[in-house]
Every structure is written in structure tokens, then in C-alpha cells.
Amino acid sequence: MAQVLAFSSYVASGHVGLAAVVPALQRLGHEVIALPSVVLSNHLGHVHWAGRPVALEDLTAMLEALEQNGQFADIDAILTGFLPTPEHVALAAKTVRHVRDRHGDVAYLCDPVFGDEPEGHYIGVPAAQAIASELVPLATYVTPNRFEAKFIFGEGFDDPQKALPKDCRLLAVTSAELAGDQLRTRCVTSDPEAAFACAVPYRPVVPHGTGDLFAALLLGHILNGSSESDAFSRAVAGVETVIAASNGRDELAIVAAIDMAAKAKPWPFA
């Protein structure tokens, strides 16, 4: 059992951000310290929503209290997702460096949640630029979608092996390319020979939160000792399991399907 510090959005209803990350990691046997960057009624894709970012002074105080209680001593990994402002990004980067300075080279997964196709940016461009410049270089694992990868890596997106940040062990680009009726997720690692992809059926509409779920399953399987390739293919399979169970629903069927997702057999490589 590992302990993960997860820093992302919290919604009162639905399964995006921490509401997808926490149950996935917990089902894989890990404890989660869940730190909300924003508190919302539901994700922003709904017609109506309410909420706001959590104040930086409150987040800083929460982090200090957690550390003073000794809860940072056993952190095995950090995951960041939705961070609404450059200041939230800076706090996340400071936290990653702080934990590593005191407790060794803790694994860090950066899920750069800032946009998608065709909607564009979910957050302001300065916050997205801060994620690209401040968090991605710190990451052990990076899990952007196609839109985010193109923003972070520019033309280098077309050659993920060259785009791989210096100290990153794995770069997984979800929804990387559409080929006919198949949607491919691509992955490269720090091993130049280790590049692979999984192709899943293309669906024009899926519930929000699949990227959050993928990141959590990937990290959870790695923390359980899976190889990077196996963790990648099992995360793809887990997300597909939940999407299938969510057919006709506006939100991911996390509660109904998370057990099956955690046990899903590795998805075949394309």
C-alpha cells in the first residue's frame, strides 16, 4: 500500500478530478491525501455550475498542517490534475520539490488538465503555460491528451520520444490520434526501445473524467509493481471498462465499475 498526495479539482456531483482519482487509487489499495484546488458543484461541461478555486492561503495552511501531523513522511507519490491559476501551479511545484527535498525522489505524475479538442482551454493560457514550464519538467510520468500534448511540446508532439522531458520515465498521450473507427493512446518511456500504443473503439461522446481516471489507474498499477508497459495497458483497459459501463450516462459509472476497472486485463497493443 502506497500513500499518494493528489492535488486536483473536487466536485460535489459526478466523477472528475479527485472524484475519479481517489476511488481508483483506493481500489488499487493506496491511501490518498486529497487536496482540492477548486470546489465545484459539478464539472464545467454542465449548463449550470457553481464554485470557486480554493484560496492559496487555505491550501498552504492545509499542507503545513498535514506536514506537522507527520503525514508527509510516508508519501510515495504525488499526482496533480486540474490547477486553475498560475499561483496554484506554483504551489504544486513548490510542494513537489519540498516533499522530494525531505523524503527522497518521490514519484510525481503530472496530468496537465487544461484543455481538449474541440473545446480548447478549460483554464487561462497563463496557467497552462505554467503547467508546461513548471510542472512537466518535474514529472516522472506525464499524461496529456492530444490537445495538451500539442500545447506543451509543439511540433515535437509528432515525435513523442524526442518530446519526452529529460527526467521523465513515461509520457502517455491519450486520444492521440483517430484512425478510422479506432482511437489510439500512445506511450513512450525513457527506454528508447519502449514505445507502444493501444487502440480502442472511437466514441464521439464520452463522459468527462476519463483522463483523471486513466492517470490514477496508471499510477496505481505502477505503485503496485507493474511494469510501465503493463500499467499503461491496464489503465487503458480500466478506462474502457468504465466507459462501457457508463453508456447513456452523463457521468462516469465509477461506483458501479471501479472494481472491474481495477481487475481489467491489459489491453492489447496496437
Side-chain angles (χ1 to χ4, degrees):
M1 181 178 68
Q3 182 159 277
V4 181
L5 174 62
F7 191 12
S8 191
S9 59
Y10 174 80
V11 290
S13 176
H15 290 285
V16 302
L18 293 174
V21 167
V22 173
L25 285 169
Q26 288 178 334
R27 178 57 189 81
L28 289 171
H30 307 301
E31 291 284 355
V32 185
I33 300 172
L35 194 69
S37 58
V38 298
V39 176
L40 300 169
S41 56
N42 41 261
H43 68 70
L44 306 185
H46 286 279
V47 175
H48 304 289
W49 60 270
R52 66 185 65 190
V54 178
L56 291 170
E57 56 267 30
D58 292 334
L59 289 171
T60 300
M62 291 167 67
L63 286 165
E64 290 173 352
L66 288 165
E67 183 169 30
Q68 289 165 0
N69 289 334
Q71 291 173 278
F72 276 15
D74 297 321
I75 288 179
D76 299 287
I78 300 171
L79 181 152
T80 63
F82 187 89
L83 301 167
T85 71
E87 292 76 21
H88 286 80
V89 174
L91 179 60
K94 179 181 177 180
T95 301
V96 172
R97 290 191 295 266
H98 180 80
V99 172
R100 284 177 168 173
D101 286 345
R102 285 155 180 76
H103 306 294
D105 191 20
V106 171
Y108 165 45
L109 186 149
C110 175
D111 184 20
V113 182
F114 59 72
D116 203 352
E117 297 173 339
E119 297 95 335
H121 284 87
Y122 303 144
I123 61 177
V125 171
Q129 291 172 331
I131 291 170
S133 62
E134 297 181 38
L135 290 181
V136 170
L138 295 174
T140 316
Y141 314 109
V142 187
T143 59
N145 60 33
R146 176 182 172 86
F147 176 86
E148 293 154 350
K150 289 172 68 176
F151 182 90
I152 294 168
F153 303 114
E155 295 303 319
F157 162 72
D158 293 325
D159 189 345
Q161 192 68 57
K162 291 182 179 179
L164 191 71
K166 179 181 177 183
D167 296 318
C168 182
R169 291 182 54 85
L170 178 149
L171 166 62
V173 182
T174 59
S175 304
E177 56 188 351
L178 179 62
D181 61 353
Q182 297 286 299
L183 190 64
R184 292 166 63 90
T185 290
R186 298 162 59 187
C187 183
V188 296
T189 75
S190 52
D191 177 357
E193 303 301 318
F196 28 84
C198 290
V200 301
Y202 170 68
R203 301 174 178 88
V205 179
V206 297
H208 290 253
T210 55
D212 303 300
L213 179 61
F214 174 82
L217 290 171
L218 175 70
L219 181 61
H221 285 304
I222 289 173
L223 291 171
N224 281 339
S226 292
S227 67
E228 289 159 356
S229 60
D230 185 64
F232 169 78
S233 60
R234 293 187 70 183
V236 171
V239 172
E240 279 298 296
T241 298
V242 175
I243 290 174
S246 309
N247 187 37
R249 300 178 55 162
D250 292 332
E251 303 285 353
L252 289 176
I254 293 282
V255 175
I258 196 61
D259 188 61
M260 294 184 293
K263 297 176 181 177
K265 295 181 180 179
W267 197 266
F269 293 131

